[in-house]
Amino acid sequence: MSMAAQEIRIRLSDGEARTLDFGTPEGREVYWHSTSHLMAQAVRELFPEAKLAIGPPIEDGFYYDIDIGRPFAPEDLQWIEKRMKDLARRNLPIEPLALSRAEARALFERHGDKYKLELLDGIPDDPISFYRQGEFVDMCRGPHLGNTGQIKAVKLLSTGGAYWRGDENREQLARIYGVSFPDEQQLADHIHMLEEAKRRDHRKLGRELEIFIQSEDAGQGIPLWLPRGATLRRTLERYIVDLELQLGYEHVYTPPLANVDLYKISGHWDHYRDNMYPVMKIDNEELVLRPMNCPHHIMIYKHGQHSYRDLPVRIAELGLMHRYERSGVLTGLARVRGMVLNDAHIFCIPDQIKAEFITVVEMIQRVYRDLGITEYIYTLSRRDPANKEKFAGDDAIWENAEALIVDALRDLGLAYREDVGGAAFYGPKLDIDVKSAAGKYETLSTIQVDFLLPERFDLAYIGEDNKPHRPVMIHRGVISTLERMTAFLIELHAGAFPLWLAPEQVRVLPIADRHVDYARAVAAALKARDLRVHVDDRNEKIGKKIREAQLMKTPYMLVVGDKEAETRSVAVRHRSDGDLGALPLDAFADRAAAEVSARR
Ligand code: TSB
Ligand code: ZN
């Protein structure tokens, strides 16, 4: 959220007043927390029998869990919102209030507030911290806004069910979500962003555009790619593999299953086990689904003898891996449990690292240009020096690796933010993060410098001195996992992929049955130019055919009737530019083929 600093006055429970900025996370937290109290106050006034549970601020607003013995209806939300605005306009002071345990108990018993009574039992303090605004008091540590008048723009967004204490065996409560801002314009912008995010949501578009499905029967977090999604994915795979071939990578195939010993040596077992599927015993082996491809690529490097003259060795694979992600974080294709990474491991001489690192950054920049990704930020993910046991290897290794990345970033002149503690267990990384439609940053590409695994697996190359030396590894993913990249591209383009990526590039629409033969001839001519074409030969009105092709965001629709068949031409419609008029078939083919190869 970028906005001018907006001071809001905040009073703490000890009565000390200070100011916070709404543009900061702390400021928003207090602001939304106070708005959740305002909502509880409104609900109490409108539904005197309501029992209040908890009402925290969250990342993008607030909620309150309330028991009125039934769900809230949309009209209820309107009334509550209106009452909140009235209460805000009255500009009630919000004041801290200390109640003895006995007073607090008596207050809750008077209202039949059984959830608050249960919460009270879990709080050791005496007296207990409350906040008061007008007639309404709520048990709370604060801090809060100094008065309700600072809440200028409020929207209650949705309501749904929630279990008390998150326990499905306990009472079902009604949760109301909302958001608020210091002015109407910010609220309007936020609502627009939410609508955009909904419109672009890759789970919704992924279903409508027949990209992928999630099947409960198949398992959570392991989506199935439909033919159109597979076409998009194959286009990305071919593109990146071709580019890697140009850049000196060698491709290998390794299996998703391996002996667990490999991960005991690498350190995954000690540092990454929480993210791994459990061991499978078969014969006298213990196997796991691999969470990363590195150990396999290391085995391949180790298989050969390497002279300093052959380095860097760049081993690449679209590698299938499985990670145990908690069910709560699984999101369509963006965060899954089974995934294919555009992976490579570069084995190099220590003094090659910087140049190699820079080449990878430039490769990523080029790929983003081709994919139409223009907004991204660099994050240097370091080890947390206060939490060293999460990371393997000694201080010298880490300092060296981090310094190398910083040095390369300086040479490239790139601005970056830092994430202390965000490193992989084996080394620091430069992540390239993009903003999702919902406004959250997500990592697509990553480049990681690793002095550790070469050590663990005792890797060597033969130096100029004819003696063995230790290589360094760079782990890198450019287009990320095909899953996450596809999710991101769907949202970035709102499903209207650039021509070169569109699963169906052209749809030929014969006006009547007698034009179907010509339509097929048009399709054949375009296929011969490597375009992805379908013919809609159903016996339907042309208007309907156009509407449906448009809904699937097909870039080009070619309408063909008597005139087109006689003159070997096509009437061209573009999904966003509309009617482009008639073109000779060959001219259209040239135009489309040029657009594909330019990746416009
Ligand atoms: C780059 N060993 C390295 C590799 O050599 C590695 O696995 N790095 S990683 O753990 O950072 O993962 C690489 C990329 O996979 C991440 O940058 C992210 O874009 C993507 N990714 C990670 N977890 C998931 C997931 N659960 N679903 C989809 N994509 C994921
Ligand atoms: Zn790796």
Side-chain angles (χ1 to χ4, degrees), residues 292-294 343-345 426 448 473 475-476:
M292 292 195 194
N293 308 314
C294 350
D343 205 355
H345 294 93
Y426 46 77
Q448 310 166 352
M473 276 171 74
H475 307 236
R476 52 107 280 198

Side-chain angles (χ1 to χ4, degrees), residues 259-280:
N259 195 304
V260 69
D261 288 343
L262 216 45
Y263 307 96
K264 289 186 177 162
I265 299 172
S266 66
H268 284 86
W269 194 245
D270 282 343
H271 294 278
Y272 204 73
R273 201 185 323 169
D274 287 351
N275 286 293
M276 291 171 67
Y277 276 76
V279 164
M280 287 168 270

Side-chain angles (χ1 to χ4, degrees), residues 37 74 129 141 150 156 200 214 218 228-229 275 309 363 381 396 405 416 427 485 551 580:
H37 277 219
S129 165
R141 281 216 179 78
Q150 295 177 63
L156 298 187
R200 289 170 182 264
Q214 302 270 24
R228 291 170 68 97
N275 286 293
R309 274 187 245 99
M363 175 181 182
S381 299
I405 300 184
Y416 58 93
M485 180 55 90
L551 276 178
L580 299 182

Side-chain angles (χ1 to χ4, degrees), residues 14 26 45 137 193 208 254 257 305 320 322 359 435:
D14 59 8
E26 307 76 49
E45 291 191 11
V137 290
M193 190 274 288
E208 289 169 8
T254 59
L257 214 55
Q305 272 265 351
L320 174 60
H322 289 84
T359 308
K435 213 174 181 174

Side-chain angles (χ1 to χ4, degrees), residues 361-422:
V361 173
E362 287 165 350
M363 175 181 182
I364 291 168
Q365 292 169 337
R366 160 162 183 193
V367 168
Y368 281 23
R369 236 182 352 264
D370 285 344
L371 294 173
I373 304 172
T374 52
E375 282 181 51
Y376 48 94
I377 57 172
Y378 298 91
T379 305
L380 170 58
S381 299
R382 296 175 175 265
R383 176 178 69 152
D384 181 357
N387 208 346
K388 289 184 184 171
E389 68 289 348
K390 268 182 68 192
F391 306 91
D394 59 31
D395 291 352
I397 277 187
W398 280 87
E399 279 154 24
N400 197 1
E402 290 184 4
L404 263 160
I405 300 184
V406 170
D407 191 27
L409 286 168
R410 188 168 336 102
D411 278 22
L412 285 159
L414 293 178
Y416 58 93
R417 57 173 189 175
E418 294 200 15
D419 174 8
V420 174

Side-chain angles (χ1 to χ4, degrees), residues 126 189 204 245 274 479 488:
D126 197 356
D189 291 349
K204 170 175 165 281
L245 287 172
D274 287 351
I479 63 169
F488 179 72

